[in-house]
Structures are given as structure tokens and as C-alpha cells.
Amino acid sequence: MTLDVAWAVEWTRRTAEQVLARRVELNELDRQIGDGDHGENMARGFTAVLAKLDARTEPPGDIGEVLKLIATTLMSTVGGAAGPLYGTAYLRAAKVTGIPELDPPAVVAMLEAALEGIVARGKATTGEKTMVDAWTPAVAAAVARTDAGAAPVDVLVAAAEAAEAGAVATIPLIATKGRASYLGERSAGHQDPGATSTAIVLRAAVEAANGVAPEMTAAQGA
Ligand code: ADP
Ligand code: MG
């Protein structure tokens, strides 16, 4: 599938579906090192995004329009750290995707813009046990696959896989940013919720491109 506006809409729907399906898991991760609301925050935000998408009379004109709708909705409906962080990520990504279709360099540009937005907003660097630890390897993997001449969907696959590995790699880290930093060394031994939701978001982008049935992915995850 080409990464066009229909893909962007499908990406949004699958992200919403997956954050709702994994809401309890995300809450549980956040309960270990935060305040237990990350699943609620993401579910509330993406439920509102779907409502706005469905309420539209005109379909979105380009990918950037879809991402901007997500950005503004997350900023206005999600409290806590994740709303402004993801909101800024989607807003920056929207600015570089006002185009009909993403080629590999455009996928890289979108992911880089998202990461830059998160860093601009949260001032975290890698190794601080945040979503930056999923986005940073995702961008690096996307760049590497693009340089290797991969197809757009394969660039997304590389990003999703790297984000998943990055999320798992947050387990031993000691948090030095966000709510988890209040725990100091006791934050080690738990996977960061925001890095985990980042992996969910990027995996949804792959599934939207591949047209994998949501039931199938749920079964694979079980
Ligand atoms: P809150 O911490 O306000 O309850 P959430 O639980 O929704 O918000 O989100 C927590 C996630 O936000 C963390 O797991 C982490 O990935 C991310 N996060 C928190 N602070 C920062 C930061 N300064 N930079 C990047 N990500 C951050
Ligand atoms: Mg929280």
C-alpha cells in the first residue's frame, strides 16, 4: 500500500484501536513508575480523535491534515505529560507531511519531526527512560533502511521494530525525566509506558500499510 491519506486515516484508526486494546497494560506500566493513567490518557485522546475524524463531512486532503487533527485533539483532551508531548510530535510531523504520499525520505522526515517535537517539549535525551528512548532508535532505523534503498513500508517496519526494542531497553534504566524520576533508582526494572505507547503507534502505522486485520494482530499478541 502507498503511504497516502487513506493510509494516514487507517493508521489513526488502528492506533486508536490498539491503545484501547492495551489501555490496562499501559495503565499498569504507569502504575509501576508513575500515576497509572497513561492508558487512560491515550485512550481518551484517541477516542476523541476518532470522534473528530468521523464527524468530518469532507475527507482530509493530505497526510498532514490527519496528523494535525490528531495533534490538536490530543493537546486539548489529554492531560499529563503525554498530551503535550504527543501533541507536539504530531504537530511537527504534520508540518512536513502536507503531501499526498510519503516516499522513504518523507517517512524519515515525519519521524524526525515527531522526535524533535518531543525533545523540544520535554527536554529529554536518550537514556532518561522516556518515549525518547523509543523514538530515537526508530528514527535511526528509518534512516538506515532509507539509505539502504528500502520501500516506504519497510522503512516503517524498521522504525516500529526499533521502537519496540527501544521500549524493552528502557527496563533497566533509571528515570531522570517525568514523573518516574521521582522514584530515582526504584524506577529501574520497569518498562516505560510512553516508550511502550510509542511502539504501539509505530506498529499501527505498519499494520495500516499492510492491511493486516486487527483481529489477527490481537491474536498474534496473545
Ligand atoms: P503523566 O506522567 O503526566 O501522568 P502520562 O502517564 O500520560 O503522563 O505519560 C507518561 C510518559 O510520558 C512517560 O512514560 C514518558 O515516556 C513520557 N514523558 C514524561 N516526561 C517526559 C519528558 N520530559 N520527555 C519525554 N517524555 C516524557
Ligand atoms: Mg501517568
Side-chain angles (χ1 to χ4, degrees):
M1 184 188 190
T2 48
L3 304 182
D4 56 11
V5 65
W7 160 78
V9 170
E10 185 61 18
W11 177 18
T12 309
R13 293 195 184 285
R14 284 170 187 257
T15 302
E17 190 177 78
Q18 286 303 308
V19 296
L20 284 165
R22 295 178 64 182
R23 166 193 210 149
V24 172
E25 176 196 336
L26 291 172
N27 281 339
E28 181 55 26
L29 290 175
D30 195 32
R31 204 180 60 73
Q32 309 281 340
I33 58 169
D35 58 355
D37 66 355
H38 189 60
E40 290 315 306
N41 288 341
M42 296 300 285
R44 185 185 326 113
F46 274 93
T47 299
V49 168
L50 280 199
K52 282 213 189 151
L53 206 53
D54 291 338
R56 285 181 65 114
T57 46
E58 296 272 306
D62 60 38
I63 296 161
E65 226 182 291
V66 178
L67 301 187
K68 188 164 178 219
L69 180 147
I70 299 173
T72 53
T73 309
L74 294 183
M75 283 180 179
S76 61
T77 58
V78 182
L85 287 165
Y86 273 115
T88 310
Y90 278 106
L91 198 60
R92 297 276 184 105
K95 287 195 175 136
V96 297
T97 53
I99 46 178
E101 193 180 321
L102 303 183
D103 60 4
V107 174
V108 168
M110 175 182 76
L111 298 173
E112 275 177 344
L115 171 60
E116 280 164 18
I118 290 160
V119 171
R121 185 86 207 186
K123 311 271 182 277
T125 180
T126 48
E128 295 198 280
K129 199 180 184 93
T130 72
M131 59 176 74
V132 170
D133 292 311
W135 282 99
T136 302
V139 168
V143 169
R145 290 295 284 156
T146 297
D147 290 349
V153 177
D154 294 329
V155 175
L156 281 182
V157 170
E161 285 174 354
E164 283 156 3
V168 171
T170 63
I171 294 173
L173 299 178
I174 294 169
T176 48
K177 283 281 188 313
R179 212 178 274 280
S181 66
Y182 307 157
L183 287 181
E185 290 184 2
R186 280 182 295 135
S187 63
H190 304 285
Q191 185 167 318
D192 180 65
T196 308
S197 61
T198 295
I200 291 173
V201 166
L202 294 180
R203 180 55 65 185
V206 173
E207 287 168 1
N210 287 339
V212 179
E215 304 77 45
M216 272 180 63
T217 52
Q220 280 163 2

